[in-house]
Amino acid sequence: MSFHIQVNDQPFDSEPRAGQCLRTYLRERGWFGVKKGCDAGDCGACTVHVDGEPVHSCLYPAVRAEGRSVTTVEGLAGDDGELHPVQQKFLDAQGFQCGFCTAGFLMTTAALEEERGSAHDDGKLDDLPRAFKGNLCRCTGYRAIEDAVRGVKHTERPCAGEAVGKSLGAPAGPQVVTGTARYTFDVEVPGLLHMKLLRSPHPHARILAVDTSAALRVPGVHAVLTHEDAPATLYSSARHEHPTEDPDDTRVLDDTVRYVGQRVAAVVATSEQAAEEGCRRIEVTYELLPHVTDPEDAMRPGAPVLHAGKGPEARIARVENNVAGEVHGETGSVEDGFAEAAVIHEETYRTQRVQHASLETHGCVAYFEPKEDGSGERLTVRSSTQTPFLTRRALCALYGLPEDEVRVVAGRVGGGFGGKQEMLTEDIVTLAALRLRRPVKLEYTRAEQFYGATTRHPFTIRIKVGARADGTLTAIRMRVVSNTGAYGNHGPAVMFHSVGESFAVYRAPHKKVDAYSVYTNCVPAGAFRGYGLGQVTFAVESAMDEVARRLGMDPLAFREKNIIGPGDPMVSPIGEEEDLHIASYGLAQCLGIVRRAIAEDRSAGDVPEGWLTGQGTAMAMIATGPPGGHYADATVSLLADGTYDIAVGTAEFGNGTTTVHRQITAGALGTTVDRIAIRQSDTDVVRHDTGAFGSAGTVVAGKAVLLAAESLAGRLKTFAARYTGVARHLCALGEETLDCAGRTIALKELHEAAHASGAQHEITAEGHWGGSPRSVAFNAQWFRVAVDPDTGEMRILRSVHAADAGKVMNPLQCRGQVEGGVAQALGATLFETVRTDDRGAVTTAAFRRYRIPQYADVPRTEVHFMETTDAIGPLGAKSMSESPFNPVAPAFANALRDATGVRFTEMPVTRDRVWLAMDQQAVRRAEPPT
């Protein structure tokens, strides 16, 4: 057949493959602005225009575009490069964070703008919940997107040296809105082979034999890899600066499978279709083993042992009881504390598995490049990772390679939330690339994200809290059980962190904890925003609310009476962390914001008749960085054209660190951010960085950048003083020059002079920060809700969040982090849950089965920043990426308790659970007393 199509006014006549969708057809021709987020028409990241109509190109057969005109996000801008009005609006409002979904929102909005005022205008732009039903965003909380559509401008252009504290836009913003930002797979690699994984259908089994002969006969299949091809080395998929934080319990390909979805074999072929067919033809003989999916059952004598035979070198706490890690501790005597109490609340709280649901799925591509000295080739791994340096270290250890033989690059990462603090694809792809000496790509499907990646840890928390009649806490005791799944990646660390700041934020003389991280035959859990604190905070803040109510006290006043103060020690039964300090204190301010919101609130006035209303508060404290050291090295240099260059290792995935690093440097050097370039996330061009996790992008990498920039400022002034003969203290840095007692020296001239005199070291400087000491950040969330007792329907009437972020480096971006954290936490509170069957198999492996918040689900949260300046963080800043998540679920549960009288102890609080609980309560009240 003859085939003709116009893509962004360019003609193409190559025929699509049988059954090929328009998305892959476009991407294969270099239109990388068209993104893959779901392959099911659920997320809208692949939206393009076909003859002006927006379509989800993952569902649109490429053959249907024959004779039509297709426009992608790259084609929105004019021929002269001028941005389309919608692109400019999204840039002005910064209507994105990671940006992976942005092209879809742009294309949807642009199509509706074209319809406005025409006969086809159905008013969708005035009804954004309806307009964006087919578009998902995991990062922003949607407020920034609404502002972009409405034409609200937020970005500022500060004067030289005044960037810190201003709402600057992201440096990659123009690339994001034009579709030219390059994510992991937005590159062309000649000779690329594709990998697909055969996964286990059983929760626990020993592999007796694997017959690959039929798979190898599939045309295009180059290799089939099994456990016999993989190294026997045990490691953890979790990435930490110190690998000993995690148990070594994982193999690249194992001869024992421990959950439904574990990889069994890898097929490498010339196409994904051939690789998938190869997987279908592999024959595996299994010996089925008993399985266990409940962590309490897993710890009991006689339970199936998941990691039998692993020795102490694996660092598993108790192999025979499936305990990956545990911690026990007591301060004072909780029994004495409960004996003193007038009121005691004891309850069991449960939280569920939640998927990170970053729109860019896990994946990487590995290929070989010539060495600079011409002595051969070395491996480059381009990966969607939060930890390029730690991933390189792990690959080198796994395959016995020197670090200069491996380069790891993270392009722009399409969302992380802790899920990409793992090595889930790089290990197997590297094995194939080394074996075949060919480029190899593995990109997870959306379904694989659910059953082949990681989730948030499900927790069960038994908490007992006692208080005197005057509201003074006497004792807190918790028993915490975390389900780490089949492997212990992050398991012990998440468990340990969960019972740290959650305990320490309250003063009580007697505290006790027993906590366990337990193996089960379920999909592995891993790092997730909040790192365990959100789960335990749900129990702690619910319990505190309940104690206050039983005492007849205002729950807010109860908290104010018992929280730690600025000079108090942070006491947890697991022991004090010596490097953790309250270097600035904004918790009282946070609760003050809530008190003012309650006093001024009028939101209940529009509630339908018969609905119940209530309000609830919760708070949280979090360390601004992980324990044990989190390292960052940065270099700042003056370039030949008089501009500056930052080299820093941390990755950018919408967390805003790239913007903040330029703001810090601009402030230190008295210049503007547009005169500063930045290189990052490439082990070849920057020095070591532990990674973009633990909210470390500003307080660790940012501190290293600040130290480097301040050092460079000093060096430039010293050299300028020598060059001009003027006293150093009379030399002042400006936007493009130095003023030396009235003599103006261009930075470009200074660079030339330094090279001419052999003083190149004067125009570059390095900074290092080890992540210690650490401070703490505080957050408080308040909701007013309404509940229909006849249906269980819930509405959020008002949402207020108070955040103690220290000196706010970029209010626009920091506000976006808070809004995104609240939105993600609301999803986990109201409906998100990774469901599994009795074998541990995931049954919610698609967005239409696993609902993440849509535009219509997220209220507009009022964000307030406290006026504090931290003594440790760079320029007084503290972290604010993870902490907004933690108080949301308990604040909502407390508001429901206030409205309905029911204490909800399990997440999520879905509408049917709410209705059923209220119905049961009504029945109990109607029963005659016995």
Side-chain angles (χ1 to χ4, degrees), residues 700-746:
V700 179
K703 184 115 176 184
V705 168
L706 175 63
L707 293 172
E710 289 179 336
S711 177
L712 178 60
R715 291 186 178 191
L716 291 176
K717 291 175 185 177
T718 298
F719 182 73
R722 290 204 310 269
Y723 180 62
T724 61
V726 173
R728 184 185 183 278
H729 72 278
L730 296 176
C731 296
L733 279 162
E735 182 175 356
E736 302 180 41
T737 61
L738 277 101
D739 184 304
C740 297
R743 179 180 173 185
T744 301
I745 307 295

Side-chain angles (χ1 to χ4, degrees), residues 34-188:
V34 185
K35 298 294 186 245
K36 169 189 172 179
C38 65
D39 277 332
D42 295 331
C43 76
C46 67
T47 303
V48 301
H49 296 173
V50 177
D51 287 344
E53 292 294 320
V55 302
H56 288 179
S57 60
C58 68
L59 297 181
Y60 195 95
V63 69
R64 282 188 57 193
E66 201 279 326
R68 299 178 182 270
S69 176
V70 176
T71 304
T72 72
V73 67
E74 295 98 328
L76 278 184
D79 295 336
D80 57 357
E82 184 177 352
L83 294 180
H84 186 282
V86 170
Q87 291 172 316
Q88 188 63 55
K89 287 180 179 180
F90 271 74
L91 193 59
D92 290 341
Q94 294 288 284
F96 53 85
Q97 283 184 28
C98 83
F100 200 80
C101 69
T102 305
F105 277 97
L106 283 165
M107 299 307 290
T108 300
T109 305
L112 295 176
E113 288 277 13
E114 288 295 320
E115 289 181 0
R116 187 181 283 276
S118 72
H120 302 288
D121 185 2
D122 62 359
K124 281 186 180 177
L125 274 181
D126 298 318
D127 183 7
L128 293 184
R130 184 162 64 101
F132 291 140
K133 282 186 67 174
N135 294 86
L136 295 176
C137 175
R138 191 56 158 169
C139 298
T140 66
Y142 297 102
R143 188 274 313 162
I145 293 171
E146 177 181 352
D147 284 355
V149 175
R150 303 298 184 215
V152 179
K153 183 173 182 177
H154 290 298
T155 54
E156 301 178 75
R157 295 182 61 86
C159 298
E162 298 180 1
V164 171
K166 299 295 195 290
S167 292
L168 275 70
Q175 289 75 46
V176 168
V177 301
T178 56
T180 55
R182 290 294 174 250
Y183 296 81
T184 306
F185 297 113
D186 296 344
V187 292
E188 295 184 31

